[in-house]
Structures are given as C-alpha cells and as structure tokens.
C-alpha cells in the first residue's frame, strides 16, 4: 500500500498482482496499482509506493492510460510490450543506485538503498 509524506486521503485503491509468461524470460510478475488521492496538506505532498526490488528501471513502467478500465489496459500494455521486446534484455543490466524520472503525472524515484532518496530529492530541486 502507499503512504504520503503529508496528510492525504486515498480511496478506491485497486491492486493487481499477476503472472505472465514472457517468451524470453519465462514467468514474470506484474503489478498494477490504482487509487484516487486527495492532498489534504497546505503545500506539496508525495505519494510513496514502496516496492522491494533491485532490478526495477524506468523501462519497466508501462503506461496504461487514464480510464476506469486501467487494470485491463495494463494487462494489454504488458502483452504488447512483451511482444515488441524484439531481443531487448528486459531483466538484464546493473541497476543504477538512484534513478529519478517522470512517468505520466508522477515523478518516480527508484533507489537500491532507501537512504539515498533524500539526496536524490535535494538534487532534483537544485
């Protein structure tokens, strides 16, 4: 589940966990997450969704659009991404210690060590 850095209200949370057979990597696990967030703080806020992984990279984030059927569209996005991989080593390579990137309306921070997140956020505002 997600948490926020300041007061917020989350509703309508839907979590999808599934398995998909990837033609190159075999069994892979898929996570879909959807909710409605309302910022109740006086200023900026952030939603944190903590996922324990060392191999997650920006290319693993797939856009599923903005409709009520987002989880159904997510499955379609994963199927088409797997079909379009065309030799890309999706699960290979060494992860970077901290990665900051925009995905849809979110700024995402991926860190192999959670203690590196504050420094990445300071550098983001510099």
């Amino acid at each position: 589940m997600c948490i926020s850095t300041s007061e917020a209200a989350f509703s309508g949370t839907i979590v999808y966990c599934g398995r998909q057979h990837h033609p190159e990597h075999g069994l892979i696990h898929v996570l879909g997450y959807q909710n409605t967030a309302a910022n109740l703080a006086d200023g900026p806020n952030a939603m944190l969704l903590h996922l324990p992984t060392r191999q997650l990279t920006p290319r693993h984030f797939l856009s599923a659009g903005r409709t009520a059927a987002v989880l159904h569209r997510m499955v379609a996005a994963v199927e088409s991404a797997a079909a379009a991989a065309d030799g890309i080593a999706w699960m290979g390579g060494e992860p970077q210690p901290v990665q900051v990137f925009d995905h849809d309306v979110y700024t995402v921070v991926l860190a192999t060590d959670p203690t590196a997140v504050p420094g990445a956020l300071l550098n983001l505002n510099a």
Side-chain angles (χ1 to χ4, degrees):
M1 303 306 283
C2 69
I3 59 173
S4 58
T5 57
S6 294
E7 189 175 1
F10 300 106
S11 61
T13 301
I14 301 170
V15 178
Y16 168 82
C17 295
R19 294 177 174 188
Q20 173 77 24
H21 181 77
H22 188 277
E24 181 179 344
H25 301 291
L27 184 63
I28 62 171
H29 295 87
V30 180
L31 171 68
Y33 186 90
Q34 175 183 1
N35 71 5
T36 300
N39 183 9
L40 302 178
D42 291 333
N45 202 347
M47 180 180 82
L48 306 173
L49 182 61
H50 45 286
L51 302 171
T53 181
R54 293 181 187 254
Q55 297 180 353
L56 198 59
T57 67
R59 67 182 173 190
H60 293 111
F61 284 71
L62 304 175
S63 178
R66 296 180 188 212
T67 68
V70 68
L71 294 179
H72 297 290
R73 294 190 59 185
M74 183 209 56
V75 170
V78 170
E79 289 172 343
S80 63
D86 198 28
I88 295 175
W90 283 77
M91 306 298 175
E94 287 295 316
Q96 297 176 9
V98 179
Q99 299 174 72
V100 180
F101 63 96
D102 290 327
H103 179 76
D104 195 26
V105 298
Y106 300 101
T107 299
V108 178
V109 179
L110 295 177
T112 56
D113 178 354
T115 62
V117 172
L121 295 176
L122 287 174
N123 291 333
L124 184 65
N125 294 324

